Amino acid sequence: MPLNILLIVVIGSALGRAIIQITKTPSHLRGLILGCCAAGNLGTMLLIIVPAICQEKGRPFGAPDVCRTYGLAYTSLSMAIGAICLWSYVYNIIRISFSESTAEVENGFGTTSQGYIAKLTPRELHT
């Protein structure tokens, strides 16, 4: 199970990185896209799938009542591990990306619509 979650995050991160490279995403959105792709599949889908599978023939955990109990326990543990991954990996990707884009704006590296580098002073903002 932890291996499944690790694979989801690694594959999602790789796909997010590919999307960023292909679409030439602006720097202030890179962390958001990477984080969403990395954690996009760490959802509650198993809560829907497990009860449905437990009513079919060839259930993975045996009798229907045992299957439901063990299946929901498996799902809960999977969601808990996913939440740890979300807060330790994805949150930090977005936080670091936000810090970097904020530093770029504060240092005057933000570009305007005319394409040149501009750093506005407080006096220029009010005119």
Side-chain angles (χ1 to χ4, degrees), residues 90-112:
V90 177
Y91 171 75
N92 284 310
I93 287 175
I94 294 173
R95 182 182 57 83
I96 291 168
S97 173
F98 178 75
S99 298
E100 289 174 357
S101 65
T102 303
E104 286 180 4
V105 171
E106 288 175 355
N107 291 332
F109 294 119
T111 58
T112 64

Side-chain angles (χ1 to χ4, degrees), residues 16-34:
R17 178 61 75 188
I19 289 171
I20 289 170
Q21 296 297 322
I22 292 170
T23 61
K24 296 179 181 38
T25 305
S27 63
H28 67 281
L29 294 176
R30 289 181 184 160
L32 183 64
I33 291 173
L34 190 59

Side-chain angles (χ1 to χ4, degrees), residues 4 9 32 44 53 58 86-87 92-93 96-98 110 117 124:
N4 294 344
V9 172
L32 183 64
T44 57
I53 290 175
L86 181 76
W87 283 104
N92 284 310
I93 287 175
I96 291 168
S97 173
F98 178 75
I117 296 175
E124 293 171 334

Side-chain angles (χ1 to χ4, degrees), residues 23-102:
T23 61
K24 296 179 181 38
T25 305
S27 63
H28 67 281
L29 294 176
R30 289 181 184 160
L32 183 64
I33 291 173
L34 190 59
C36 288
C37 289
N41 293 324
L42 290 175
T44 57
M45 188 63 87
L46 286 175
L47 285 175
I48 298 167
I49 294 173
V50 167
I53 290 175
C54 286
Q55 302 207 1
E56 298 291 324
K57 288 183 179 178
R59 319 176 216 351
F61 298 109
D65 57 339
V66 174
C67 178
R68 184 173 176 89
T69 303
Y70 286 153
L72 290 178
Y74 175 84
T75 301
S76 299
L77 184 59
S78 175
M79 289 175 59
I81 294 171
I84 292 169
C85 177
L86 181 76
W87 283 104
S88 62
Y89 177 69
V90 177
Y91 171 75
N92 284 310
I93 287 175
I94 294 173
R95 182 182 57 83
I96 291 168
S97 173
F98 178 75
S99 298
E100 289 174 357
S101 65
T102 303

